[in-house]
Amino acid sequence: MITVAPKKLVAAVSATLAIGFLTACNQTASVAETDYGISATSQIIVTNEAGDVQALRPNVSFDLSAKQAAAVITIDPAVRKQTIVGIGSSFTESSAFVLAHLEPDVRAEVMQNVYGAEGANFSLTRTPIGATDFSVEGQWSYADVEGDVTLKHFSIEEDKNGFSKAKYPNIKDETFDVLPMIQEALAIKANQDESDLRIISSAWSAPAWMKDIETFYIRPTPENGYEGTGGELKPEYVGTYVDYIVKYLDAYKAAGVDIWGLTPVNEPAGNSGQWESMHFTPETQRDFIKDHLGPTLKASAYKDINVLIYDQNRDHLEDWTDTILGDEETAQYVYGTAVHWYSSTYKVYEDALERVATKFPGYGIINTEATIDDLGKPAPNGVSDPENFQESGWFANDEFWWNATATDWAYSAEWAPNAEDHPIYTPVHRYARNIIVSLDHWMEGWVDWNIALDHNGGPNHVGNFCGAPIMIDTNTGEIYYTPVFHVLSQFSRTIRPGDVAVQTSIDRGDLGDDSLHTSATLSEDNVLTVQLLNTTKQSVDYVLEIGAQTAQITIDANAVQTVRVQL
């Protein structure tokens, strides 16, 4: 028997009863018999390879007659699942650095396009606690005075001191940094009806002196058998690390920034010591939350902050949820689980998401990081296809983003575990597939990594260049809104916090398994929003069934489509 933590008990029981009730009802009344009185779609939006960006298409009529098409998508608005907390991208020092290369009025326009009601209107985001690979110079924390157990010298100055024009000649605004960036986004939100911007914070590492390796990371080398490490907390500093997190929450609150959620550490299983990191096992993270972080937060002004466990790849999701959420004492302090997508360039691990949602009802799952990693990196030894491993031509070139051009760290690498899970991929497809399928399988929120990077995919102090929704040539000031930005914007604008995911099913007929993907959400004012991805190079006709009503709709070739219906 799985024991559910008290603070989640009501939600879990409600969800279980609702599903049971609806299942019973569905046994006596087919969803196909329900007449929702729909006459036509209310909006159809398309972003595609052909160049349409959130373009409106003519609405399509519904009727009660069956139609012929290549696929059938069935939506059951009566079967309601998880509540959405948001979609968005992340604040990082690298993003702030790149935006600081723009004149303030130009930067303000970019920020409006990201956070404003007329822009992408992102509602969920993430920001680091201290340095990451996407810090400009890296290897720093907020408490670098060794042995300062009272954290007397704690300071978030590094997040707000800006970048010197003397050191970086193309900087236009020396005062802009990650904290001012967050404050500017919150100011934009404060001036609109939907003001939510939920921030999840994650540390990549404790201060170096708190860890057994007494540095931020040890890189993989031939001497250590390519087994680098981020080290672990020294037992005597476990409580000090919790105090460090609380100090961060205090400092950000004093700066006008309330943190909605946090994870104990980013990627606790490590990254082979390639950059700032710190290790936990499922068992040590369980005990850290149960004995230290949870009780401290509960007794503080941050008792309502949402603690997310894990914060790494989906392939090991269940190892962590079984150990941590399966422990009643620990689970009472936990909101849910954070995951990343780097274990495969195409898998979403929806079966694992379903199992976790079934086993631990009432606990959220949020994707907290995803990006096109190793962008333009030369192939290391042991890669069988070095030509395709190293990308090129991504800046100001939409064709790159709509076709199979991108690879990751494990592509065609003979030394990589499960290299077959890492084929070459289409960037837009990877994003849209992951978001759509995840939301269809109990995920509450989805956050991209850096919102903006330079034209090379940096800066990055360890050479881990990546793609970003917005890429900016810091030499010329050219701003490139990639197709990934437009797709994220389309999702964010049509899937809002408080919407509820509803049941979908798809019959692809003779189409391939990866040809068409769908999910659906329902708003408080009964607007049903259906998201679709067509990965093929041909347009696809499909029947959309909502109760007794059907409509025949066409999705363009290589496109993301949003269909909205007022119920």
Side-chain angles (χ1 to χ4, degrees):
M1 177 179 178
I2 299 298
T3 304
V4 179
K7 81 174 194 176
K8 293 289 184 175
L9 185 58
V10 174
V13 171
S14 298
T16 303
L17 290 176
I19 292 171
F21 172 76
L22 290 166
T23 300
C25 288
N26 287 344
Q27 291 173 349
T28 57
S30 169
V31 63
E33 298 174 1
T34 304
D35 185 348
Y36 287 98
I38 307 165
S39 59
T41 61
S42 56
Q43 195 175 50
I44 299 177
I45 308 167
V46 175
T47 297
N48 60 26
E49 183 187 12
D52 291 306
V53 174
Q54 299 187 59
L56 295 178
R57 291 284 192 266
N59 282 310
V60 176
S61 297
F62 280 80
D63 56 39
L64 300 178
S65 63
K67 297 178 173 67
Q68 296 298 315
V72 177
I73 293 171
T74 303
I75 312 296
D76 187 351
V79 179
R80 303 183 183 187
K81 302 194 292 187
Q82 78 278 16
T83 299
I84 305 301
V85 298
I87 290 173
S89 192
S90 298
F91 300 106
T92 64
E93 187 181 75
S94 291
S95 292
F97 176 83
V98 169
L99 291 169
H101 283 73
L102 301 177
E103 295 291 352
D105 59 333
V106 177
R107 184 190 72 229
E109 182 179 348
V110 173
M111 293 288 285
Q112 283 286 345
N113 288 339
V114 175
Y115 301 105
E118 301 304 314
N121 203 11
F122 287 157
S123 54
L124 184 66
T125 185
R126 185 183 187 222
T127 194
I129 301 173
T132 75
D133 46 326
F134 280 94
S135 297
V136 177
E137 297 177 3
Q139 299 203 53
W140 54 266
S141 76
Y142 303 127
D144 283 335
V145 176
E146 186 172 352
D148 180 19
V149 294
T150 64
L151 301 177
K152 176 183 176 182
H153 300 284
F154 181 97
S155 172
I156 61 167
E157 186 64 24
E158 193 69 39
D159 286 350
K160 59 183 180 180
N161 60 9
F163 306 98
S164 166
K165 191 174 179 66
K167 189 171 186 179
Y168 304 105
N170 289 334
I171 289 286
K172 298 296 191 295
D173 184 352
E174 294 183 294
T175 69
F176 197 68
D177 208 328
V178 67
L179 180 55
M181 184 182 176
I182 295 171
Q183 291 168 328
E184 186 169 330
L186 291 173
I188 291 169
K189 288 293 183 182
N191 288 319
Q192 58 194 51
D193 291 338
E194 289 188 79
S195 59
D196 273 356
L197 184 60
R198 296 173 177 178
I199 302 171
I200 300 168
S201 296
S202 305
W204 266 233
S205 173
W209 55 272
M210 294 186 193
K211 302 195 299 177
D212 58 358
I213 62 172
E214 298 189 345
T215 187
F216 287 99
Y217 55 94
I218 297 173
R219 301 201 75 170
T221 64
E223 290 73 25
N224 61 28
Y226 297 99
E227 291 294 334
T229 183
E232 300 177 7
L233 278 171
K234 293 179 180 180
E236 63 266 33
Y237 292 135
V238 171
T240 310
Y241 179 57
V242 173
D243 294 341
Y244 175 82
I245 292 172
V246 173
K247 281 274 192 180
Y248 163 83
L249 297 174
D250 286 339
Y252 262 63
K253 188 174 187 64
V257 178
D258 290 322
I259 302 301
W260 178 83
L262 64 84
T263 70
V265 77
N266 173 69
E267 298 186 344
N271 58 38
S272 297
Q274 297 181 87
W275 51 80
E276 290 86 348
S277 59
M278 186 172 72
H279 296 232
F280 284 98
T281 65
E283 291 76 17
T284 60
Q285 188 169 105
R286 175 198 63 202
D287 295 344
F288 174 74
I289 294 170
K290 175 168 57 180
D291 299 332
H292 301 280
L293 181 65
T296 298
L297 291 176
K298 186 176 182 179
S300 75
Y302 307 106
K303 63 181 184 298
D304 294 325
I305 202 162
N306 297 295
V307 174
L308 295 158
I309 65 169
Y310 191 35
D311 210 4
Q312 201 158 356
N313 292 335
R314 299 172 184 221
D315 56 338
H316 291 292
L317 165 65
E318 291 172 278
D319 299 337
W320 291 74
T321 55
D322 286 354
T323 299
I324 299 176
L325 297 184
D327 182 83
E328 180 180 0
E329 289 184 72
T330 309
Q332 65 178 313
Y333 301 117
V334 175
Y335 174 87
T337 307
V339 295
H340 301 175
W341 77 357
Y342 304 111
S343 47
S344 176
T345 60
Y346 72 98
K347 289 182 178 179
V348 182
Y349 296 89
E350 58 268 36
D351 291 346
L353 297 176
E354 284 284 342
R355 287 191 295 269
V356 168
T358 300
K359 196 181 294 186
F360 303 105
Y363 288 86
I365 307 172
I366 296 175
N367 190 92
T368 49
E369 186 182 315
T371 192
I372 303 169
D373 57 340
D374 282 330
L375 188 66
K377 181 179 179 179
N381 292 333
V383 168
S384 63
D385 185 9
E387 182 177 353
N388 281 319
F389 187 95
Q390 186 173 8
E391 301 95 341
S392 62
W394 56 80
F395 188 75
N397 177 20
D398 287 2
E399 185 178 356
F400 172 88
W401 301 83
W402 281 105
N403 289 280
T405 55
T407 62
D408 73 349
W409 60 277
Y411 172 69
S412 73
E414 62 185 25
W415 42 261
N418 306 312
E420 67 277 6
D421 290 338
H422 301 265
I424 198 166
Y425 64 92
T426 299
V428 168
H429 294 177
R430 188 177 183 187
Y431 271 84
R433 180 196 300 112
N434 199 282
I435 295 169
I436 288 172
V437 176
S438 294
L439 294 181
D440 201 44
H441 294 276
W442 296 97
M443 188 160 285
E444 291 185 353
W446 204 98
V447 183
D448 174 50
W449 191 204
N450 308 271
I451 179 57
L453 291 173
D454 68 20
H455 52 293
N456 295 317
N460 184 291
H461 73 96
V462 291
N464 177 32
F465 298 107
C466 293
I470 302 169
M471 303 188 80
I472 298 170
D473 189 324
T474 51
N475 297 314
T476 67
E478 181 181 358
I479 301 167
Y480 176 44
Y481 293 90
T482 72
V484 161
F485 173 80
H486 298 305
V487 168
L488 285 171
S489 175
Q490 184 168 319
F491 287 146
S492 174
R493 289 169 62 86
T494 57
I495 305 170
R496 301 303 301 164
D499 292 356
V500 178
V502 299
Q503 187 69 39
T504 75
S505 63
I506 183 167
D507 180 352
R508 296 182 179 87
D510 294 332
L511 298 173
D513 289 345
D514 189 46
S515 59
L516 202 62
H517 296 283
T518 190
S519 65
T521 53
L522 189 66
S523 70
E524 291 181 355
D525 52 359
N526 276 338
V527 174
L528 179 69
T529 299
V530 183
Q531 310 289 353
L532 301 102
L533 166 66
N534 176 12
T535 66
T536 76
K537 291 288 188 175
Q538 293 81 39
S539 61
V540 172
D541 294 332
Y542 65 92
V543 169
L544 179 62
E545 291 185 345
I546 306 172
Q549 285 79 40
T550 64
Q552 184 163 313
I553 304 176
T554 299
I555 180 171
D556 296 349
N558 212 3
V560 174
Q561 182 187 67
T562 302
V563 178
R564 311 194 84 184
V565 179
Q566 178 69 62
L567 299 186

